[in-house]
Amino acid sequence: MYIQSGVSKNAKYIVCIDPLDGSSNIDVNVSVGTIFSIYRRISDTGVSCNSNDILQHGTKQVAAGYIIYGSSTMLVYTTGKGVNGFTLDPSIGEFCLSHPDMKIPASGQIYSINEGNYSKFPNGVKQYIKYCQMEDSATQRPYASRYIGSMVADIHRNLLKGGIFLYPTTSAHPNGKLRLMYECNPIAFIIEQAGGKASNGSQRILDIEPKTLHQRSAAFLGNTDMVELLEDFLKKYSD
């Protein structure tokens, strides 16, 4: 759904938001987050916005970010000129710049995926997981498997430490499960601005044409080398 009101008729920007990412983890006190994406409005102000205002390519984002609620509360934010992290200081009630010019490490040794769905994954993803688990000192494998189940939490860790986040299509969700407009696009914008890569397995996420508000997509985000290798596996072992 999207909000229509007297105030929004004069709005100059469109905000797509996932207010509570990882909500299933609330009861077990695991980090959750909020993801948002901001676009310039296309239609004239003074009238209700329409679907064309919302369904814009990810490349049209003017800003995107996430807030992670954990041992500290952080806002990670980009306006297309790099990524900066701000930590909430409860004593003054303000977010203070704590992580300027965030860059994903050049190499990573972490892969993040719900391996409980292994039997439902495309063959290329299965083969990539096996690759990550094989011992090879030259590539510092096996890699560590870390999966929290909150996209924001998994992305935040890999952004700081390096790694790849995988959310492939499955037999149960052949189009993917993550929402393009308010999950994949904003996170992809952040990852690219931090020097990484964001792909649906064959295409840059930010280039995907949005057709519906709740459109879904596969998502592979993280170190450029790791994502490109995953794409190679998907090509080589296509079903």
Side-chain angles (χ1 to χ4, degrees), residues 220-231:
F220 306 99
L221 311 105
N223 293 90
T224 298
D225 290 348
M226 298 181 82
V227 174
E228 289 181 346
L229 183 59
L230 179 279
E231 290 176 324

Side-chain angles (χ1 to χ4, degrees), residues 3 16 26 47 49 80 88 91 102 126 142 185 197 213 226:
I3 298 171
C16 298
I26 291 176
V47 297
C49 65
L88 177 65
S91 67
M102 297 174 72
K126 292 178 180 178
N185 272 346
K197 184 169 184 175
L213 179 60
M226 298 181 82

